[in-house]
Amino acid sequence: MEYPNRKIWIVQCLLLFSAACFISQLNASDDVIFYESFDEDFEGRWIASENPDYTGVWKHVKSEGHDDHGLLVGEKARKHAIVKPLDDPVVLKDKTVVLQFEVRLQNGLECGGAYIKYLRPQDAGWVPKGFDNESPYTIMFGPDRCGATNKVHFILKHKNPKSGNFVEHHLKFPPSVPSDKLTHVYTAILTPDNEVRILVDGEEKKKGNFLSGDDFDPPLIPSKTIPDPDDKKPEDWDERAKIPDPVATKPEDWDEDASLEIEDEEAEKPEGWLDDEPEEVDDPEAAKPEDWDDEEDGEWEAPKVDNPKCAEAPGCGEWKRPMKRNPAYKGKWHAPLIDNPNYKGIWKPQEIDNPEYFELEKPNFEPIAAIGIEIWTMQDGILFDNILISSSEKEAETYRETAWKPKFSVEKEKQKEEESTESDGLKGFQKVVFDYLYKIADLPFLGEHKVKVLDLLEKAEKQANLTIGILASVIVVILSILLKLIFGGKKPANVVAETKKTDVAESSDDQGSSETKDEKNDDGAAAGPRRRAQRRDD
């Protein structure tokens, strides 16, 4: 009799387990506010802009190497705009909101955007079929790359409660855009404690606080005071900290006309100097070309070569004394500087209360009523996929693990195979170096130098012949910034001057050697320029 009871018990357990799974899925779905996988065609659900400026075509295609579909930017050098109104507006206040989507730059991204705009309700003054760059948004988030711009944007449009104006607030020092052609997932996490965290491929790259002036530009909370726009600098305000000494006079023995250099009277002509030998002689091996026409081309002259006798002697031709620095040279006389007795400091307008100042405990987020992609790009092949809005970080992580990571792993493995077959050991080593340098370029200490470092890295990747030199420059820039942060200070003025002087001298030497090299070309190369010169003279 125990067997039927055991069977009933097992059935009951299975039912309980199924119910638990259903409840778990129900709770999980409650965390998903919006999700678009593009498994089905977007027609009828997404609305392409009918604005005449936006002629770019959107396509529903498979990602290269996968069966997974996405929304593709179909044409290069065109404006693209498409929008998906949400069933209900998403309120961003007092809860965690996660914005996440995937982008694959299948043809790279040299100049263009691949970001998403999270739009305000339509009563703010826009319609889906007229969606354009003026349509009001709450948040703009995602990759953007062109020229010096290389960043994963996070921009909040926040309403000033005093003025009623909406102001764009940019997250400072955002992460850079991955430079490969793999699928990457971008995540922005907004939390109730006013924090925003930016993740790329699930790894946190940037964290900021909405109310911190150090994290957003301009700050959400304006300064309490501002310079008085009506305050003007008095006419007698003296900002010169130092002035020429009015009582100083030029010394009587100060010669402003003395030359910088003079002949070295102590120098003597080296023994064995060949005064009567020219530095160059006609090339004895050169012969007049058979097709040379004296009437048309002029009298033929043999190309010049270095006089071999000069190579064995200290020098040839007229000997001249070398120049040396003139000890009497003092240059233009200037009165020495003294402290200005009338110095009042650098003038600044007085501060007044900022009429737009306000206090804020939490940002005044506008609700998100639609998801729009409005971009201009010089590349096609930009593929959007798995767009998610969720109230759960865990749910967003689950989507990364199940929807993004398998694709990325396949693409990464294929990339490694291609690199191993197409590149030698040196290039493999270079890639490791590049990977580490791109990670360093994302570190906050680079600050405003980040764009310069990223630009150099991109050039190094594209120009193989310059890679080593550019990488060395990048490393020098990074080390210079580190040393400056550690030790502070600047290079002494005299060191800078000597460095510049040396650079100029080296540049002159290089130019001179190049010209000499041109003159020493073989018969045909040397005769050609001389022949053209003769014709121009005629």
Side-chain angles (χ1 to χ4, degrees), residues 168-400:
E168 283 189 1
H169 301 276
H170 295 243
L171 182 66
K172 291 182 179 180
F173 310 122
S176 58
V177 181
S179 60
D180 54 45
K181 300 179 182 180
L182 309 179
T183 300
H184 294 281
V185 57
Y186 299 91
T187 309
I189 303 171
L190 289 67
T191 60
D193 58 356
N194 301 328
E195 266 194 356
V196 58
R197 290 185 285 126
I198 306 299
L199 282 59
V200 179
D201 296 344
E203 181 181 348
E204 184 176 302
K205 296 290 188 178
K206 176 69 179 180
K207 180 167 66 174
N209 189 293
F210 283 110
L211 304 187
S212 170
D214 294 331
D215 294 332
F216 280 86
D217 182 30
L220 268 70
I221 301 177
S223 58
K224 288 186 177 182
T225 62
I226 59 171
D228 184 355
D230 298 324
D231 193 12
K232 305 297 180 184
K233 182 171 69 171
E235 293 183 1
D236 62 346
W237 191 280
D238 196 338
E239 294 182 329
R240 299 173 300 165
K242 298 281 187 179
I243 60 172
D245 187 352
V247 299
T249 57
K250 183 174 69 173
E252 293 182 0
D253 62 346
W254 192 286
D255 185 2
E256 292 185 337
D257 299 325
S259 59
L260 177 62
E261 292 184 327
I262 58 174
E263 287 187 355
D264 185 358
E265 297 294 340
E266 298 179 357
E268 295 182 358
K269 183 169 64 176
E271 185 177 350
W273 188 279
L274 306 178
D275 298 87
D276 299 328
E277 287 291 340
E279 294 183 4
E280 291 184 332
V281 295
D282 291 344
D283 186 353
E285 298 180 1
K288 180 178 177 180
E290 294 181 0
D291 62 344
W292 186 277
D293 187 334
D294 290 335
E295 293 183 0
E296 180 182 347
D297 299 328
E299 184 180 354
W300 181 81
E301 295 179 8
K304 299 291 185 180
V305 296
D306 288 342
N307 188 342
K309 295 180 181 180
C310 297
E312 302 173 359
C316 290
E318 181 185 359
W319 180 81
K320 295 181 181 179
R321 284 190 171 85
M323 303 297 286
K324 69 175 185 178
R325 185 175 180 82
N326 184 359
Y329 173 77
K330 294 184 178 181
K332 189 72 175 176
W333 181 85
H334 297 280
L337 297 178
I338 61 171
D339 292 336
N340 183 1
N342 298 320
Y343 176 65
K344 295 183 179 181
I346 302 300
W347 183 85
K348 294 180 180 178
Q350 63 179 349
E351 295 285 317
I352 60 172
D353 291 338
N354 185 358
E356 296 191 357
Y357 171 75
F358 59 88
E359 294 183 356
L360 194 67
E361 292 185 1
K362 290 184 177 295
N364 297 319
F365 293 114
E366 294 292 312
I368 295 172
I371 295 174
I373 305 174
E374 183 274 317
I375 56 177
W376 176 90
T377 176
M378 291 303 294
Q379 278 76 42
D380 55 2
I382 300 175
L383 191 74
F384 292 87
D385 199 5
N386 294 318
I387 301 174
L388 171 71
I389 301 178
S390 175
S391 59
S392 167
E393 294 185 43
K394 191 68 178 176
E395 191 72 26
E397 181 182 359
T398 300
Y399 276 84
R400 291 195 300 270

Side-chain angles (χ1 to χ4, degrees), residues 2 55 97 144 205 222 247 279 288 317 328 432 434 482 515 522:
E2 291 182 2
T55 57
V97 175
D144 189 18
K205 296 290 188 178
V247 299
E279 294 183 4
K288 180 178 177 180
V432 173
F434 275 114
L482 280 173
E515 291 172 354
D522 58 21

Side-chain angles (χ1 to χ4, degrees), residues 176 436-444 446 450 453-454 457 478:
S176 58
Y436 277 111
L437 288 174
Y438 271 115
K439 289 181 180 179
I440 293 174
D442 264 337
L443 296 177
L446 285 177
K450 174 181 174 180
V453 172
L454 289 172
L457 287 175
I478 293 173

Side-chain angles (χ1 to χ4, degrees), residues 387-499:
I387 301 174
L388 171 71
I389 301 178
S390 175
S391 59
S392 167
E393 294 185 43
K394 191 68 178 176
E395 191 72 26
E397 181 182 359
T398 300
Y399 276 84
R400 291 195 300 270
E401 290 294 320
T402 57
W404 166 75
K405 196 168 186 178
K407 287 191 296 186
F408 180 78
S409 299
V410 171
E411 293 164 9
K412 191 74 173 176
E413 192 62 33
K414 183 179 179 181
Q415 183 188 57
K416 288 181 179 178
E417 291 176 2
E418 291 174 351
E419 288 175 351
S420 63
T421 56
E422 294 178 2
S423 63
D424 53 23
L426 177 59
K427 289 187 178 179
F429 171 75
Q430 287 176 348
K431 184 181 184 305
V432 173
V433 174
F434 275 114
D435 288 341
Y436 277 111
L437 288 174
Y438 271 115
K439 289 181 180 179
I440 293 174
D442 264 337
L443 296 177
F445 80 87
L446 285 177
E448 60 185 13
H449 300 283
K450 174 181 174 180
V451 172
K452 179 180 179 181
V453 172
L454 289 172
D455 185 51
L456 287 172
L457 287 175
E458 290 173 27
K459 289 179 180 177
E461 283 189 300
K462 294 176 183 177
Q463 304 180 50
N465 59 322
L466 302 178
T467 297
I468 300 301
I470 295 178
L471 283 179
S473 300
V474 171
I475 293 171
V476 169
V477 170
I478 293 173
L479 288 177
S480 299
I481 296 170
L482 280 173
L483 291 173
K484 188 173 181 180
L485 288 174
I486 295 171
F487 299 106
K490 298 181 178 180
K491 186 183 287 187
N494 61 333
V495 176
V496 175
E498 289 297 328
T499 303

Side-chain angles (χ1 to χ4, degrees), residues 103-211:
V103 171
R104 186 178 186 186
L105 309 173
Q106 297 179 129
N107 297 326
L109 185 62
E110 294 180 6
C111 189
Y115 43 74
I116 286 180
K117 290 182 175 180
Y118 299 87
L119 299 156
R120 288 159 52 193
Q122 293 182 38
D123 58 17
W126 70 280
V127 293
K129 289 187 177 181
F131 176 45
D132 61 14
N133 65 322
E134 298 296 328
S135 301
Y137 64 85
T138 296
I139 289 172
M140 188 173 100
F141 171 54
D144 189 18
R145 193 175 193 173
C146 192
T149 299
N150 185 342
K151 64 179 72 174
V152 179
H153 276 297
F154 184 90
I155 304 172
L156 170 67
K157 270 200 172 181
H158 188 261
K159 184 178 181 179
N160 184 310
K162 282 286 187 71
S163 66
N165 296 325
F166 282 88
V167 180
E168 283 189 1
H169 301 276
H170 295 243
L171 182 66
K172 291 182 179 180
F173 310 122
S176 58
V177 181
S179 60
D180 54 45
K181 300 179 182 180
L182 309 179
T183 300
H184 294 281
V185 57
Y186 299 91
T187 309
I189 303 171
L190 289 67
T191 60
D193 58 356
N194 301 328
E195 266 194 356
V196 58
R197 290 185 285 126
I198 306 299
L199 282 59
V200 179
D201 296 344
E203 181 181 348
E204 184 176 302
K205 296 290 188 178
K206 176 69 179 180
K207 180 167 66 174
N209 189 293
F210 283 110
L211 304 187

Side-chain angles (χ1 to χ4, degrees), residues 34-48 60 69-71 82-87 128 370-371 385 387:
F34 171 82
Y35 178 62
E36 174 61 83
S37 65
F38 295 106
D39 289 339
E40 299 178 0
D41 197 347
F42 61 87
E43 294 286 350
R45 294 181 296 109
W46 288 72
I47 303 170
H60 180 245
H69 286 77
L71 179 65
I82 194 167
V83 67
K84 173 66 173 75
L86 303 180
D87 294 335
I371 295 174
D385 199 5
I387 301 174

